Amino acid sequence: MLRRMTATTTSSRLRTEVPGPESRALHQRRTSAVAAGVGSVLPAYVTSANGGLLTDADGNTLIDLGSGIAVTNVGHAAPAVVERVREQAERFTHTCFMVTPYEGYVEVCETLNQLTPGDHEKRSVLFNSGAEAVENAVKIARVATGRQAVVVFDHAYHGRTNLTMALTAKSVPYKHGFGPFAPEVYRVPGSYPCHDGLTGEQAAAAAIDRIEKQLGGDSVAAVVIEPIQGEGGFIEPAPGFLSALSRWCTANGAVFVADEVQTGFCRTGAWFACEHEDVVPDLVATAKGIAGGLPLAAVTGRAELMDAVPPGGLGGTYGGNPIACAAGLGAIETMRTENLADAARSIGDMVLPRLRALAEETGVIGDVRGRGAMLAVEFVRPGTHEPDPDITKRIATACHAAGVVVLTCGTYGNVVRLLPPLTLPADLLDEGLSALETATREEATR
Ligand SMILES: *Cc1c(COP(=O)(O)O)cnc(C)c1O
């Protein structure tokens, strides 16, 4: 982490090594104040951010290829977000929608009902985090169906609350030691084309067979799925997988819940990733990119399912906070006026060929994949499918030292993921990508 800059990583954007002395001093203070259980990928302490650049306490400017985990799709201080937040904060900061409501909440719900896939009658309810949205989608599906079982997939990530830990696949660090977990959760195989070699139909048939053997179709309340898996490794299922599962849900009276927390809001080149497969989910959970960084989340879905929960059954003190709603409306306005779905596709068009060339050249990359601006490189031992988490870590660390924020992911920790703000200027994207190329070349030839 504290590696000195080398000739290849020197940049006019860096004044010190990253993290520099000011950040290291803050980090020291942090260790005696902040619980050790909260990690930081790159402990360079940020003082301001805009235009795809994070400025740290030492005056270094870092290129952001992570967007705070797919959150700042519209940038770190989009004018429409900042202006609406300022205006709302001056009027009032909170009343609690469950006590005395306000228009912003209603307008966010109207907007989500219109933007999410399908033209059926919809309702929405607002929360603070992705985990809360997923958990509430399950609550709604259980009430609406009168059933309890929830089906989830290998490599799934749905959050850190008790129920969503149960829905999440990976033990360390998300679940280890935190049990017991919520019951009535059943895990089945997903679709991981570069590893299982199955078509979408074959993978879905295997999953459905497992569901029917373990449970029988008539006891499933919900199938909860990320249309492209996020933390699990940016795994895009083979074509036909999602639609086969969605058809199975319809035929069996189960609720198809799309967890679009990471994939939503133009990230993959469409408003929602389900659109790439023409899948219309019964319920959609959203969060992350929804409000330019303010805590906001939602469940949106079929009116008859959503309205099955009686008044008082859903809510929370802060859910749909007025400032978060104002930010959400500003973020969605920005996505519309700046055509950020197109911008996401342009990012993919620029990055994917370069990553594929890098794979060809270096031999340490087992798969390059992604849609729009949700892109991933999977590192393997040369000539095998064996995950190589060590090289992945070294490459990420070298990017950080060069002032480029990249994140890793994957069940085996062997995936570097790229999630740039959709507003990132092309020259910064190019510079960030060059750092990843340089680091990969250096590590591949070590
Ligand atoms: C991040 C994430 C969550 C959890 O969201 P939080 O806001 O961190 O609670 C749930 N599902 C997916 C797919 C995610 O990427």
Side-chain angles (χ1 to χ4, degrees):
M1 201 64 81
L2 305 182
R3 224 172 73 162
R4 293 265 155 196
M5 287 181 283
T6 65
T8 51
T9 59
T10 303
S11 158
S12 55
R13 292 180 297 94
L14 300 186
R15 295 199 185 149
T16 68
E17 70 277 19
V18 179
E22 293 291 335
S23 280
R24 293 203 300 271
L26 279 164
H27 204 63
Q28 196 60 41
R29 230 172 94 194
R30 161 195 176 139
T31 52
S32 45
V34 179
V38 192
S40 290
V41 169
L42 170 52
Y45 284 70
V46 174
T47 53
S48 64
N50 209 348
L53 290 172
L54 310 171
T55 303
D56 75 10
D58 293 281
N60 300 307
T61 53
L62 315 176
I63 297 175
D64 186 7
L65 301 186
S67 300
I69 321 187
V71 169
T72 48
N73 294 4
V74 296
H76 305 89
V81 173
V82 173
E83 199 35 57
R84 284 181 188 247
V85 163
R86 191 201 321 274
E87 193 268 337
Q88 178 58 48
E90 281 169 357
R91 281 198 294 138
F92 63 97
T93 54
H94 176 83
T95 62
C96 186
F97 192 74
M98 301 186 304
V99 179
T100 46
Y102 38 88
E103 183 180 358
Y105 190 117
V106 179
E107 193 177 345
V108 169
C109 292
E110 288 168 344
T111 307
L112 293 173
N113 296 348
Q114 188 236 322
L115 281 179
T116 48
D119 50 17
H120 48 281
E121 179 85 6
K122 291 177 213 157
R123 303 282 185 269
S124 290
V125 53
L126 306 182
F127 301 102
N128 306 293
S129 72
E132 229 190 321
V134 173
E135 182 144 356
N136 277 279
V138 170
K139 285 165 64 173
I140 293 163
R142 283 179 169 157
V143 168
T145 59
R147 305 172 180 179
Q148 295 187 351
V150 181
V151 173
V152 290
F153 295 85
D154 287 340
H155 307 290
Y157 181 85
H158 297 292
R160 294 173 182 268
T161 59
N162 188 266
L163 176 59
T164 57
M165 276 194 293
L167 305 179
T168 292
K170 190 173 175 175
S171 177
V172 176
Y174 306 127
K175 301 167 74 168
H176 190 69
F178 294 142
F181 302 111
E184 289 305 311
V185 173
Y186 299 85
R187 193 169 309 285
V188 301
S191 167
Y192 198 159
C194 76
H195 286 282
D196 64 26
L198 301 176
T199 66
E201 286 76 12
Q202 290 167 334
I208 288 166
D209 181 63
R210 190 75 72 84
I211 298 169
E212 292 182 341
K213 294 281 151 47
Q214 281 187 44
L215 288 164
D218 61 357
S219 49
V220 178
V223 172
V224 180
I225 188 162
E226 299 155 88
I228 299 174
Q229 290 182 316
E231 305 304 303
F234 280 27
I235 306 164
E236 191 178 357
F241 181 75
L242 290 174
S243 48
L245 284 167
S246 157
R247 281 195 305 276
W248 183 88
C249 284
T250 306
N252 289 275
V255 178
F256 184 91
V257 179
D259 178 349
E260 292 250 17
V261 169
Q262 192 155 162
T263 48
F265 297 100
C266 301
R267 174 54 57 188
T268 68
W271 280 99
F272 297 96
C274 280
E275 293 169 37
H276 300 299
E277 281 263 329
D278 285 325
V279 165
V280 176
D282 299 312
L283 301 180
V284 188
T286 53
K288 291 200 167 99
I290 191 173
L294 277 282
L296 185 67
V299 181
T300 301
R302 295 187 185 281
E304 64 276 17
L305 301 176
M306 297 291 296
D307 285 342
V309 181
L314 300 174
T317 306
Y318 292 119
N321 166 274
I323 296 176
C325 286
L329 294 169
I332 291 168
E333 176 193 318
T334 306
M335 292 174 214
R336 282 194 166 125
T337 55
E338 298 192 18
N339 242 320
L340 292 188
D342 286 352
R345 286 196 296 276
S346 305
I347 289 172
D349 290 344
M350 190 271 213
V351 173
L352 281 170
R354 277 175 63 175
L355 294 178
R356 290 195 182 110
L358 187 67
E360 194 79 0
E361 176 194 331
T362 60
V364 295
I365 294 172
D367 195 33
V368 167
R369 56 180 177 258
R371 263 198 193 268
M374 184 171 180
L375 300 155
V377 189
E378 183 165 331
F379 289 95
V380 294
R381 303 215 157 73
T384 73
H385 285 296
E386 248 180 86
D388 193 342
D390 300 328
I391 198 174
T392 310
K393 209 169 178 181
R394 289 198 302 271
I395 289 167
T397 302
C399 290
H400 299 162
V404 178
V405 181
V406 297
L407 306 173
T408 59
C409 65
T411 299
Y412 308 104
N414 68 322
V415 178
V416 167
R417 55 172 154 172
L418 305 179
L419 291 164
L422 307 182
T423 52
L424 187 71
D427 57 327
L428 291 180
L429 179 61
D430 172 58
E431 195 181 333
L433 194 54
S434 300
L436 175 63
E437 289 166 338
T438 303
T440 305
R441 284 188 192 112
E442 283 182 359
E443 288 297 336
T445 54
R446 256 159 67 105

